[in-house]
Amino acid sequence: MHHTEIKEKDSVLMVSLARISFLSLAEKIILLKNIDSSLNLALLSIEEISEICKRQIRSSSWNGKQNLLHAQREVAILESKGISFLSYFDKDYPALLRETPNAPFLLFYRGNKAALLNRSVSVVGTRHISPYAKVKTMEFAYQAAFDGCTVVSGLANGVDGASHMGVLNAWYDAVQNNSVLPEGKTVAVLPCGIDTIVPYNHISLASRIISSGGCLVSEYVPGVPAESWRFVQRNRIIASLSPATVVIQAPAGSGALITAQFALEYNRDVMFHKAAFETQANLVSEKINQDLQRRFALGEIQKNKLENTPQKYLESGAPVINDYKDYCRCLKEMPGLRSIQDSQLIFEELYG
């Protein structure tokens, strides 16, 4: 289906399809090709949807008319708040995201969508950030912004917030010094509806991201709450929006390491900042690891959470970088050049 044809479809239909959680991206596309309007979709039974998608769908939650009412309300919210969306078929839909399995059918955004089309790096890490790692995160993002590289993260406390702030600091410094504004912006991916900010204490940060030329994005329609599994889904978008993910600091079981895993699955580069292995970060890791061991003994968590550590990635060949310039050098190097030496040095420092 051509882009021009999609544009003729109404927003309510697109949002109606986007909000059907039991359909894959491919099935939403099939449905879109077979229906003409949101009312058309609302009148379909689950059996008819199954027939069109060529799959036996069992969902007791489907109520077409209810879905339409929700979509109409959500489109009204989008319009009243000046929120837009990119469809999977849109020429401005991020190309790297489109390549990934089950990419969002719609990507809702607030702010400057051009930030999504820029060269980018994803920066992730723990909420329990050490003071040293916080400084290094902000430095990395600051340098990236002035190099014209967009910094993608998840707006969480800790590393995420520091990476967004690093870009904003570059912007503020340029304004204050009456110099050229940095071309690099920052993009925050939300684990909830696009009309909500999570965490609440980052409402001001989110506003400054938009005013500095960055944007907020989400695959979720307005009103969708931030539930734990949605943070994991959000992480796949962070990983997919950039050719490389940099982990600043991440103890065992950290959500940042889930993002790193997604990045590897999408054939993207994963790098670790040296700050992930300094003394304060190691103390945080040790404390969290003890808690994970306790929770595993009680049967509260799976073993894979305990075993998902930075060391695992280093052993698999992930390189360690010192700063943004080193990140740029590493991107150009032959894979595996520095990883073996890095791993040996770090293991010696950690374990003697």
Side-chain angles (χ1 to χ4, degrees):
M1 190 173 285
H2 295 296
H3 176 67
T4 48
E5 289 178 73
I6 294 297
K7 278 295 181 189
E8 288 167 11
K9 303 283 185 184
D10 64 281
S11 295
V12 176
L13 170 58
M14 300 301 274
V15 172
S16 294
L17 281 165
R19 67 188 320 284
I20 305 176
S21 58
F22 58 80
L23 292 180
S24 67
L25 168 68
E27 288 167 342
K28 287 173 185 175
I29 292 170
I30 290 167
L31 265 186
L32 186 61
K33 288 178 178 177
N34 282 275
I35 52 179
D36 296 320
S37 68
S38 52
L39 184 59
N40 238 194
L41 175 62
L43 294 173
L44 290 178
S45 66
I46 196 69
E47 291 75 24
E48 289 168 322
I49 292 174
S50 296
E51 195 178 324
I52 292 169
C53 294
K54 303 284 188 282
R55 172 172 75 90
Q56 186 57 52
I57 301 167
R58 292 180 177 84
S59 178
S60 55
S61 63
W62 173 246
N63 181 323
K65 290 175 185 175
Q66 200 69 39
N67 189 63
L68 175 58
L69 288 173
H70 283 304
Q72 288 169 334
R73 190 197 69 212
E74 286 150 7
V75 167
I77 292 170
L78 294 176
E79 288 171 355
S80 69
K81 295 196 173 188
I83 300 169
S84 307
F85 63 75
L86 295 166
S87 84
Y88 181 79
F89 310 92
D90 200 300
K91 64 179 173 60
D92 289 336
Y93 188 95
L96 286 173
L97 182 58
R98 189 186 278 119
E99 288 174 10
T100 57
N102 213 23
F105 178 70
L106 297 184
L107 192 66
F108 298 93
Y109 69 91
R110 295 165 72 177
N112 176 23
K113 69 178 177 182
L116 288 163
L117 305 176
N118 200 12
R119 180 167 56 91
S120 65
V121 58
S122 294
V123 178
V124 296
T126 180
R127 289 169 175 79
H128 308 284
I129 189 172
S130 72
Y132 178 79
K134 184 174 183 179
V135 169
K136 292 300 172 186
T137 305
M138 291 172 79
E139 281 178 4
F140 183 95
Y142 187 97
Q143 291 165 1
F146 275 115
D147 189 45
C149 185
T150 287
V151 174
V152 179
S153 200
L155 202 66
N157 291 314
V159 170
D160 289 16
S163 65
H164 297 307
M165 272 309 304
V167 174
L168 294 179
N169 286 347
W171 191 78
Y172 294 143
D173 284 356
V175 170
Q176 201 170 350
N177 299 328
N178 255 345
S179 55
V180 179
L181 290 173
E183 286 183 29
K185 311 299 179 187
T186 188
V187 171
V189 186
L190 303 173
C192 54
I194 187 66
D195 59 329
T196 315
I197 301 301
V198 172
Y200 185 77
N201 63 301
H202 275 172
I203 286 177
S204 170
L205 177 60
S207 173
R208 284 177 284 163
I209 287 171
I210 292 171
S211 62
S212 66
C215 75
L216 312 179
V217 301
S218 172
E219 65 180 316
Y220 300 115
V221 296
V224 170
E227 296 180 66
S228 56
W229 65 271
R230 289 199 178 99
F231 285 86
V232 176
Q233 290 300 298
R234 180 272 305 275
N235 290 349
R236 91 186 196 285
I237 296 177
I238 294 173
S240 65
L241 282 172
S242 302
T245 291
V246 174
V247 182
I248 302 285
Q249 180 194 345
S254 169
L257 296 178
I258 296 174
T259 311
Q261 191 57 51
F262 278 126
L264 291 177
E265 287 171 13
Y266 300 154
N267 293 316
R268 311 290 160 80
D269 288 320
V270 171
M271 303 179 197
F272 282 77
H273 195 287
K274 201 170 182 183
F277 307 102
E278 53 86 33
T279 308
Q280 289 170 317
N282 290 337
L283 289 172
V284 171
S285 292
E286 205 172 299
K287 191 176 176 184
I288 288 173
N289 193 50
Q290 286 170 0
D291 185 55
L292 288 174
Q293 295 274 11
R294 181 188 61 79
R295 290 173 63 198
F296 174 65
L298 292 170
E300 293 176 0
I301 60 167
Q302 299 291 317
K303 195 175 185 182
N304 62 349
K305 191 173 179 76
L306 191 64
E307 292 174 343
N308 197 16
T309 64
Q311 286 73 24
K312 183 185 90 170
Y313 292 88
L314 292 188
E315 288 166 359
S316 299
V320 178
I321 57 164
N322 295 313
D323 52 27
Y324 177 74
K325 285 181 181 173
D326 195 29
Y327 158 78
C328 294
R329 281 194 296 270
C330 191
L331 276 181
K332 294 173 185 173
E333 288 172 4
M334 190 181 293
L337 251 188
R338 62 169 77 192
S339 56
I340 297 168
Q341 292 173 326
D342 287 336
S343 297
Q344 286 171 343
L345 286 171
I346 286 162
F347 287 138
E348 281 170 19
E349 286 172 21
L350 286 176
Y351 307 113

